[in-house]
Amino acid sequence: MTYESQKVALKYFVISAIFFGLQVVVGLLLVSKYIWPDPLIGFLPFNTARAIHTNLLVVWMIFGFMGGTYYIVPEESGTELFSKKLANLQFYLLLLGGLVGVVGFLFGWTAGRPLLELPVELKWAIVIVALIFIFNVFLTMIRTKKWTAIQGMLLGGIVMLAVMWLFGIPFFKNLTLDYYYWWWVIHLWVEGAWELIAASLMAFVLLKITGVDRQVIEKWLYVEVALVLITGIIGTGHHYYWIGTPNYWLWWGGIFSALEPLPILFMVFDTLNQVRHRKLEVTNRLALYWAVGCAIFHFIGAGVWGFAHTLPFVNRWTHGTQVTASHGHMAFFGAYAMVILTVIYYALPKLKGLEQFNQKRGFWVFWITTISVAVMGLAFGVAGVIQSYMWRGLGMDFLTVQGFMRPWFMIVLFGGLGLFTGVIIYIIDVLSLATKKSQ
């Protein structure tokens, strides 16, 4: 660790891991509802459990992104964080908002819009948290002697994170108009702002663990900016099939959205090529494994799966089926979960002053979680193909089709239990590293 203020990231990392575990627990309940007669229906019906599951996903990843940013910014800027007090205030406000939102769902306190179920009051509270975040990061960065591409992209991603969120606050009576802007949050927030932040975090970690020239990594950041501005915006169109927008959105959106994962994939493998040719030594091989795994899983889950699913002649049948769940689980895990774990497994040992640490448990986490998510993704995909063919193709009754899908949901449950095991080991590992005495 270079700067004392980087320690504010520690609590973000710990809470991120715990909320990750809670999200997986609720996910296990959700898949069990596809197999058995709706367990806990009186306490947690499907719609409530789904809202908790997806919002926990957002909360734990935001904690991970913010923690990673607060670790990186002082080091990239060459100065202490502008205000540790603001960073701590922001943490507690976000934690309180997340807990209130999740508990509120249990009592029916919801805006009712899928994936944006948080009440308007909490959405404005998140805006305040985002403004504190931008303010703190920006005032730290302006004190830097030399701006870097990592700083620029990270700041751009954070600002975009706040701006895109604003489109999820108003509600439009016209359903087509409402869903048009709804996708600006669901797609451009996640596949625009999050992509920029994730690429910045990944670039920083690769730079530190490999020692390659900064120019090698930063050139792919410029490509990422271009692709987010081009493919990210145009790619929004692949969501517009069902809301009455012009036909041209379908093909442009379906094709361009598949290009988004390419810069991170090329960044990682270009870096590995430099490491191999220059015979550079990598001491934190665990972080490198997560980085490489992220590039591959991101490309498959977001790129290959996304491309196959979003082409108009396919999306016509698969939109809103379990094929979407397959793509979503694999894409989120590869594109963002693995980036956050890459950053945490790099930064946590540094925060505790550990030049060497036992990486065995982290490797168990890597293999168990990646294999489990792959099993879940493939099983969801098969279930989705069955659903698309029998329900939308043959016109069979929806509930009858669910019976044919049940064996594949059993496999999803098996994969989910594996993921739960891996995440429990991950939480134990994070808590173990976080509570070690600094050296």
Side-chain angles (χ1 to χ4, degrees):
M1 189 185 66
T2 308
Y3 297 93
E4 181 68 19
S5 57
Q6 288 176 291
K7 288 183 179 179
V8 299
L10 195 59
K11 60 174 70 70
Y12 283 88
F13 292 155
V14 171
I15 290 297
S16 173
I18 293 172
F19 275 31
F20 187 11
L22 291 174
Q23 188 219 352
V24 174
V25 170
V26 180
L28 290 173
L29 172 63
L30 279 169
V31 72
S32 70
K33 288 175 179 289
Y34 283 105
I35 302 170
W36 297 290
D38 213 341
L40 298 180
I41 187 172
F43 176 64
L44 269 178
F46 186 89
N47 62 310
T48 303
R50 181 176 180 267
I52 293 173
H53 181 64
T54 54
N55 281 274
L56 280 172
L57 167 75
V58 172
V59 171
W60 85 256
M61 288 190 171
I62 291 294
F63 270 113
F65 285 147
M66 288 180 170
T69 300
Y70 277 137
Y71 179 86
I72 288 171
V73 166
E75 199 160 325
E76 276 293 294
S77 303
T79 179
E80 292 285 0
L81 195 63
F82 172 74
S83 174
K84 289 197 296 183
K85 290 182 179 180
L86 279 178
N88 289 325
L89 173 64
Q90 172 196 324
F91 170 82
Y92 290 113
L93 286 175
L94 183 59
L95 178 59
L96 179 63
L99 292 174
V100 169
V102 169
V103 174
F105 290 147
L106 299 175
F107 296 95
W109 191 32
T110 171
R113 301 166 77 192
L115 306 180
L116 289 177
E117 295 93 347
L118 285 177
V120 173
E121 295 85 353
L122 285 180
K123 288 177 180 175
W124 281 112
I126 290 175
V127 172
I128 294 172
V129 170
L131 290 175
I132 294 172
F133 188 40
I134 294 170
F135 180 77
N136 208 2
V137 169
F138 178 70
L139 288 185
T140 304
M141 286 185 176
I142 61 173
R143 296 187 293 182
T144 187
K145 294 179 181 179
K146 182 180 179 182
W147 275 77
T148 66
I150 293 175
Q151 286 175 292
M153 177 175 280
L154 192 53
L155 183 61
I158 293 168
V159 172
M160 188 177 179
L161 187 80
V163 172
M164 288 294 102
W165 177 253
L166 295 175
F167 290 96
I169 297 177
F171 177 77
F172 301 94
K173 291 183 179 180
N174 183 298
L175 194 60
T176 294
L177 184 63
D178 191 59
Y179 268 83
Y180 183 83
Y181 288 113
W182 182 81
W183 282 116
W184 283 35
V185 184
I186 304 305
H187 176 90
L188 286 175
W189 197 56
V190 172
E191 298 183 50
W194 284 30
E195 287 274 2
L196 294 179
I197 295 170
S200 305
L201 299 181
M202 180 63 76
F204 176 85
V205 174
L206 288 175
L207 189 66
K208 294 297 181 180
I209 65 176
T210 63
V212 301
D213 294 336
R214 183 177 286 268
Q215 293 85 347
V216 172
I217 290 174
E218 288 191 341
K219 69 181 179 184
W220 294 113
L221 288 181
Y222 295 120
V223 176
E224 178 75 10
V225 170
L227 282 180
V228 165
L229 292 176
I230 299 172
T231 68
I233 294 172
I234 298 175
T236 312
H238 79 248
H239 297 294
Y240 286 163
Y241 190 89
W242 299 103
I243 68 171
T245 50
N247 288 337
Y248 62 78
W249 271 115
L250 305 182
W251 279 104
W252 283 90
I255 294 172
F256 275 84
S257 61
L259 301 176
E260 293 170 31
L262 293 181
I264 287 183
L265 180 73
F266 292 147
M267 180 198 300
V268 171
F269 284 97
D270 193 12
T271 302
L272 290 177
N273 188 49
Q274 294 286 325
V275 170
R276 185 174 66 253
H277 283 293
R278 295 171 57 185
K279 298 181 180 179
L280 300 170
E281 184 181 357
V282 179
T283 56
N284 191 338
R285 295 191 64 80
L286 177 58
L288 185 63
Y289 263 66
W290 280 106
V292 174
C294 169
I296 296 171
F297 226 104
H298 189 179
F299 177 71
I300 294 172
V304 178
W305 250 240
F307 182 72
H309 171 47
T310 57
L311 291 174
F313 59 84
V314 177
N315 195 239
R316 171 185 178 185
W317 305 101
T318 62
H319 191 99
T321 68
Q322 295 301 328
V323 174
T324 303
S326 172
H327 165 54
H329 281 78
M330 295 184 71
F332 266 99
F333 183 76
Y336 303 120
M338 296 184 82
V339 169
I340 293 168
L341 269 67
T342 301
V343 173
I344 290 176
Y345 272 118
Y346 168 76
L348 256 185
K350 296 288 185 181
L351 287 169
K352 307 304 289 187
L354 305 172
E355 290 301 322
Q356 299 289 335
F357 69 102
N358 188 350
Q359 301 178 15
K360 184 177 180 181
R361 197 153 44 195
F363 277 111
W364 275 106
V365 176
F366 176 83
W367 288 113
I368 292 173
T369 56
T370 51
I371 291 172
S372 297
V373 173
V375 169
M376 291 171 61
L378 291 171
F380 268 129
V382 176
V385 171
I386 293 171
Q387 184 182 23
S388 302
Y389 177 68
M390 291 186 167
W391 179 38
R392 290 182 171 163
L394 300 181
M396 293 176 63
D397 178 72
F398 178 84
L399 290 178
T400 301
V401 175
Q402 295 297 305
F404 288 96
M405 296 161 63
R406 190 169 291 115
W408 296 100
F409 286 126
M410 291 293 295
I411 298 175
V412 173
L413 180 62
F414 175 76
L417 290 170
L419 178 61
F420 175 72
T421 303
V423 173
I424 290 297
I425 298 172
Y426 167 63
I427 293 172
I428 293 170
D429 206 20
V430 167
L431 291 176
S432 174
L433 288 169
T435 53
K436 279 185 180 294
K437 291 184 177 181
S438 299
Q439 295 182 1

